C-alpha cells in the first residue's frame, strides 16, 4: 500500500529530469562566466607593458692615471681597476653590480707614489720626485745617490784608471806664451795643467748617476771615448744601436722541438709545448694577478691586472661550468701557459 502508483512514479521521474536540466543549465552558465573572465584577464596581460630589463648599475669611469677592465654593467657583473706606474690604488680594485642597481665597494682612485716621503736624502740633500724614482740634490761637500759620500772621498766612478786604452796624452799647443791642452771627445782632463792626462769618460755611469735617459735598452758597455749597447742572448741589436729585438727561433726553424710538440717563441728563447688536458685537481688561486670577467652567457675574459716579473712560467687553469635552466650540463677546463720574459723589452 506504501508503494507509488505507476502514474506517481512517472511524475516523480519527470520532476527529477527537470531538476537535473536546471542544474545543468546553471553549471554551463558558470563555466561560460569563468571562461569569459579568463579571456578578459589574458587580454589585459597581453596588452600590459613588457617585462622591464634586468637591473643595471650606473656606468663607471676609469680613475685618473689608471685603467678600467670590464664594460658590462648588469647585475652580478664585475669591473676591475688598476693604476699606472708611479701610482697606487685607493678604494676598491673590484666592484660588483648588485640587484638594487648599486655597486659594491668604494670609488677607485689613483694616488701618486711619493718617493720622497721617506726622506731618503742624507746630509742636507734635497729630494726631487720623479716617475718611480727620486733624485737627491746634494750640498757641495756631499755626493752619491742619497748624498751619503763626502765629495773628497767619493770613489771615482766616471773613469778607468788601470787600463792604458782608457787614457791618452792630451793635445797641447802654445798660445800667446801659454800652453793650452785639450782632450778628444769622450775624454776629460785629469791632473794639473803641467802633467795632465786625458782619461775616458764613462758615459754609462755618468748617465746612470745623473738620472738621465737610458742609453741602452739592456746593457751599456763603456769603451774608450764612447760606449756601445749589448743585448742578452736570444736578442739582436737594432739599427738604432740601442734597442733589442727578440729573435723568433720558431719562425726561423732554430728550435729543437720534437714531433708532436709546438714551438712557442718567448722573450730571449723558445719553449716546446705539448698540450695536455690536466687532471682534475683542487682550485689554484691567482687572486691579485688574474680575474675572470663574464662577457655574456657563453663567453668570458681572463684579465691580467698586475705585471708579472720574469723570468717565470705561470700555469693558469680556468674552470668553467655550463648550466641550462639552472641544471648542470657540462664542465670545461682550459689550461693557459704564460711565459714571462726576464726583460722589459
Amino acid at each position: 500500500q506504501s508503494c507509488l502508483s505507476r502514474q506517481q512514479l512517472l511524475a516523480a521521474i519527470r520532476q527529477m529530469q527537470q531538476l537535473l536540466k536546471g542544474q545543468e543549465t546553471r553549471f554551463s552558465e558558470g563555466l561560460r562566466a569563468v571562461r569569459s573572465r579568463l579571456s578578459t584577464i589574458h587580454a589585459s596581460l597581453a596588452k600590459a607593458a613588457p617585462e622591464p630589463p634586468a637591473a643595471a648599475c650606473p656606468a663607471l669611469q676609469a680613475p685618473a692615471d689608471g685603467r678600467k677592465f670590464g664594460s658590462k654593467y648588469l647585475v652580478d657583473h664585475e669591473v676591475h681597476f688598476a693604476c699606472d706606474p708611479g701610482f697606487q690604488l685607493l678604494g676598491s680594485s673590484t666592484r660588483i653590480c648588485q640587484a638594487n642597481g648599486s655597486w659594491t665597494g668604494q670609488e677607485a682612485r689613483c694616488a701618486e707614489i711619493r718617493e720622497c716621503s721617506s726622506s731618503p736624502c742624507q746630509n742636507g740633500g734635497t729630494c726631487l720626485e720623479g716617475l718611480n724614482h727620486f733624485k737627491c740634490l746634494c750640498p757641495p761637500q756631499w755626493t752619491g745617490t742619497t748624498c751619503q759620500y763626502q765629495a773628497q772621498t767619493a770613489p771615482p766612478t766616471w773613469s778607468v784608471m788601470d787600463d792604458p786604452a782608457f787614457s791618452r796624452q792630451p793635445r797641447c799647443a802654445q798660445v800667446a806664451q801659454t800652453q793650452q791642452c785639450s782632450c778628444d771627445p769622450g775624454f776629460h782632463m785629469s791632473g794639473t795643467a803641467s802633467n795632465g792626462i786625458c782619461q775616458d769618460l764613462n758615459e754609462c755611469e755618468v748617465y746612470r748617476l745623473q738620472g738621465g735617459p737610458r742609453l741602452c735598452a739592456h746593457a751599456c758597455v763603456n769603451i774608450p771615448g764612447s760606449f756601445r749597447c749589448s743585448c742578452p742572448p736570444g736578442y739582436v741589436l737594432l739599427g738604432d744601436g740601442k734597442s733589442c729585438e727578440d729573435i723568433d727561433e720558431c719562425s726561423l726553424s732554430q728550435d729543437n722541438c720534437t714531433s708532436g710538440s709546438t714551438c712557442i717563441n718567448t722573450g730571449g728563447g723558445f719553449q716546446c709545448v705539448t698540450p695536455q688536458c690536466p687532471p682534475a685537481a683542487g682550485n689554484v688561486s691567482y687572486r691579485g694577478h688574474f680575474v675572470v670577467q663574464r662577457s655574456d652567457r657563453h663567453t668570458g675574459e681572463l684579465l691580467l691586472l698586475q705585471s708579472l716579473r720574469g723570468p717565470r712560467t705561470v700555469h693558469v687553469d680556468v674552470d668553467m661550468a655550463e648550466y641550462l635552466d639552472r641544471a648542470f650540463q657540462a664542465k670545461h677546463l682550459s689550461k693557459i701557459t704564460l711565459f714571462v720574459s726576464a726583460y722589459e723589452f
Side-chain angles (χ1 to χ4, degrees):
Q1 294 180 352
S2 61
C3 294
L4 297 176
S5 64
R6 185 172 180 275
Q7 294 297 330
Q8 292 174 331
L9 185 57
L10 290 173
I13 291 175
R14 282 195 296 271
Q15 290 178 354
M16 291 292 295
Q17 289 175 338
Q18 292 176 355
L19 178 62
L20 291 174
K21 186 176 181 181
Q23 292 291 339
E24 182 180 1
T25 300
R26 285 191 292 273
F27 182 74
S28 298
E29 291 175 351
L31 288 177
R32 284 196 296 272
V34 171
R35 278 197 296 267
S36 176
R37 180 61 177 164
L38 290 176
S39 298
T40 302
I41 295 175
H42 183 273
S44 176
L45 291 176
K47 294 180 181 179
E51 186 174 332
C57 294
L60 296 176
Q61 303 299 324
D65 303 305
R67 294 162 292 163
K68 180 190 70 172
F69 301 93
S71 58
K72 302 290 185 178
Y73 304 136
L74 300 180
V75 174
D76 293 335
H77 278 256
E78 299 179 359
V79 175
H80 309 275
F81 303 94
C83 292
D84 296 335
F87 295 84
Q88 59 182 351
L89 182 68
L90 301 178
S92 302
S93 60
T94 299
R95 304 186 70 181
I96 304 174
C97 180
Q98 304 178 102
N100 60 4
S102 65
W103 292 96
T104 61
Q106 304 296 324
E107 178 184 3
R109 296 184 296 109
C110 293
E112 185 178 3
I113 299 175
R114 308 296 295 182
E115 298 286 349
C116 291
S117 60
S118 60
S119 302
C121 300
Q122 307 173 30
N123 301 307
T126 302
C127 185
L128 298 180
E129 291 283 356
L131 182 59
N132 287 335
H133 74 281
F134 66 91
K135 181 178 181 181
C136 292
L137 297 180
C138 302
Q141 69 272 27
W142 296 95
T143 185
T145 306
T146 58
C147 306
Q148 72 273 32
Y149 299 123
Q150 288 187 348
Q152 62 269 25
T153 60
T157 57
W158 56 86
S159 62
V160 177
M161 305 291 290
D162 54 355
D163 190 336
F166 289 87
S167 62
R168 59 187 61 174
Q169 294 296 324
R171 297 192 305 271
C172 299
Q174 197 75 18
V175 179
Q177 298 181 351
T178 302
Q179 189 179 32
Q180 302 287 339
C181 298
S182 64
C183 296
D184 294 332
F187 290 82
H188 71 98
M189 184 72 69
S190 177
T192 63
S194 59
N195 61 355
I197 189 171
C198 293
Q199 291 183 340
D200 172 65
L201 182 68
N202 189 335
E203 295 86 355
C204 303
E205 197 69 15
V206 169
Y207 271 74
R208 185 184 70 83
L209 293 177
Q210 293 183 353
R214 294 184 63 177
L215 292 177
C216 303
H218 179 59
C220 179
V221 180
N222 185 51
I223 59 177
S226 184
F227 70 95
R228 64 178 177 85
C229 298
S230 67
C231 296
Y235 289 86
V236 61
L237 190 67
L238 293 182
D240 61 2
K242 300 179 179 181
S243 304
C244 298
E245 184 177 62
D246 174 58
I247 299 174
D248 190 345
E249 292 85 357
C250 299
S251 63
L252 297 175
S253 299
Q254 297 179 0
D255 62 276
N256 56 359
C257 298
T258 60
S259 177
S261 62
T262 302
C263 179
I264 303 296
N265 184 58
T266 61
F270 63 92
Q271 294 280 348
C272 299
V273 178
T274 304
Q276 293 181 348
C277 292
N283 293 333
V284 178
S285 174
Y286 292 93
R287 185 170 297 276
H289 289 292
F290 298 93
V291 294
V292 175
Q293 167 70 53
R294 184 178 63 184
S295 300
D296 52 42
R297 292 182 58 190
H298 301 290
T299 60
E301 301 170 349
L302 180 66
L303 304 178
L304 175 63
L305 295 182
Q306 297 184 10
S307 299
L308 296 174
R309 291 187 177 273
R312 63 188 296 191
T313 300
V314 178
H315 300 283
V316 182
D317 293 341
V318 180
D319 192 351
M320 296 167 285
E322 182 180 354
Y323 290 85
L324 179 62
D325 296 332
R326 298 187 177 183
F328 177 79
Q329 300 294 312
K331 181 178 180 180
H332 308 276
L333 186 63
S334 298
K335 185 177 181 66
I336 301 174
T337 303
L338 294 92
F339 301 106
V340 185
S341 172
Y343 311 104
E344 298 177 358
F345 46 85

